[in-house]
Amino acid sequence: MTENVRIAIAGIGAVAEMHAESIDDLPNAELVAGSCRTAEKGDEFADEYGCNHYADTETMLDEMIPDVLVVCTPSGAHLEPTLAAANRGVHVLCEKPLEITTERIDEMIEACEAAGIRLGGVFPQRYNPVVETMYDAAASGRFGRLAVANAYVPWWRPDDYYEGAWQGTEELDGGGAVMNQSIHSVDAVQWLAGATMNIHGDENPVEEVFAYTGRLAHDDERMEVEDTAVTVLRFRNGTLGQLLGTTSMYPGSLKRVQLGGREGTAELLEDELVTWEFREEQPNDSAVRTKFTETTNGGGAADPMSIDYEYHRRNIAAYLNALTNDAPFMLDGREARKAVEIIEAIYASADRGTPVRLA
């Protein structure tokens, strides 16, 4: 892998703009092309970012021969461009979720491993400094035996968000408020809780879930899946948790994560650390409390684009650095799969009305 990584993007939608801005900021990356079936949108993207536009991803891969394909197509259409890249020996960085079922994800992982290429995922909250700080505290045992790991995503989306779009459909979204919006927090809470456990390889920190879901604020004509979900989590070490995921709570509020145990509690409101209290105070705790203050953007609570792309940039930079240095990447395909595995269990539990254990 050369130091200057040539990148193409499959799917020129809203999230592709964040990737393009991030790539533009990175000294070791060059955006060479984007694929989009809509000519006008593709040409505008190409003009703005100084790259080429293709109507077809496979043609783009054949003609541009990029080092990396970033997959930004609708969630249920991540498999096909990944397979196309694997067939050509092109590395893949894929937006969340990797795909909408673990079966399709496993096909992606197997194809990439067989081709000897790197499949990476995008969960920018893992690159949020305050979430990293919580992870380090969990990994160092500051909470003692972790008792509680909660995540709340009390968001809102208006009716026109789902009007004639792929969002909210079974085929391309694979779910609603959990699979699309709350998946970032699903990944974050399992990663944080997992830091306190002896987890091996692709073993999931979550052992069992029990969930209720409903479509309570949007009508059936616009949305096929849930806009509200409440889940109880049991982790493999006995830690208990709750997950709230909605697009039904007007006007939308910032997401929240809580970790707590006998030795301390930390609570995060978007980027603000509202609680950082431990039985044993450490010298830098006061500085930590003052470092992470009030969030300055909407956090996606009502507008999916009211977020800072800085954590996307850090996520992409980490993936590219892993490629160029032949080093491990925290969000490889098997790790990025875990959030979808949990969400599949949530939907199965809601359908059956019973707890569901993860494999």
Side-chain angles (χ1 to χ4, degrees), residues 21-202:
E21 295 285 351
S22 299
I23 292 164
D24 192 50
D25 286 351
L26 296 174
N28 63 334
E30 176 189 3
L31 180 61
V32 296
S35 64
C36 176
R37 289 178 297 180
T38 305
E40 183 178 356
K41 183 191 295 185
D43 289 342
E44 289 176 359
F45 183 87
D47 288 344
E48 182 171 359
Y49 296 105
C51 64
N52 295 287
H53 162 239
Y54 289 84
D56 175 74
T57 298
E58 295 196 12
T59 302
M60 176 178 71
L61 292 171
D62 289 336
E63 294 191 6
M64 297 305 301
I65 317 176
D67 300 307
V68 173
L69 178 68
V70 175
V71 179
C72 295
T73 52
S75 301
H78 288 172
L79 171 62
E80 292 78 12
T82 298
L83 296 182
N87 288 336
R88 293 161 173 81
V90 175
H91 299 286
V92 177
L93 181 64
C94 184
E95 255 296 339
K96 63 81 186 171
L98 280 188
E99 251 288 353
I100 59 174
T101 69
T102 53
E103 181 180 5
R104 288 172 68 84
I105 290 172
D106 290 342
E107 190 174 346
M108 293 165 66
I109 292 172
E110 290 165 8
C112 291
E113 289 181 349
I117 63 169
R118 302 282 291 271
L119 172 62
V122 177
F123 280 115
Q125 281 304 301
R126 292 205 190 188
Y127 296 92
N128 182 338
V130 68
V131 177
E132 292 174 326
T133 299
M134 290 180 73
Y135 180 89
D136 291 341
S140 66
R142 293 206 67 192
F143 298 100
R145 179 180 178 180
L146 192 65
V148 173
N150 297 333
Y152 306 99
V153 187
W155 283 5
W156 165 254
R157 292 292 181 267
D159 288 341
D160 59 11
Y161 174 80
Y162 298 107
E163 196 77 57
W166 63 267
Q167 289 90 347
T169 66
E170 288 275 8
E171 180 183 6
L172 289 177
D173 215 351
V178 186
M179 183 68 84
N180 190 317
Q181 284 77 24
S182 301
I183 191 170
H184 291 289
S185 293
V186 172
D187 178 72
V189 79
Q190 68 86 16
W191 182 57
L192 291 167
T196 68
M197 305 177 204
N198 188 21
I199 298 295
H200 300 283
D202 55 1

Side-chain angles (χ1 to χ4, degrees), residues 307-323:
I307 58 175
D308 190 336
Y309 72 86
E310 168 63 15
Y311 309 144
H312 266 83
R313 186 195 63 77
R314 295 187 68 203
N315 194 153
I316 296 167
Y319 175 76
L320 298 184
N321 288 337
L323 281 184

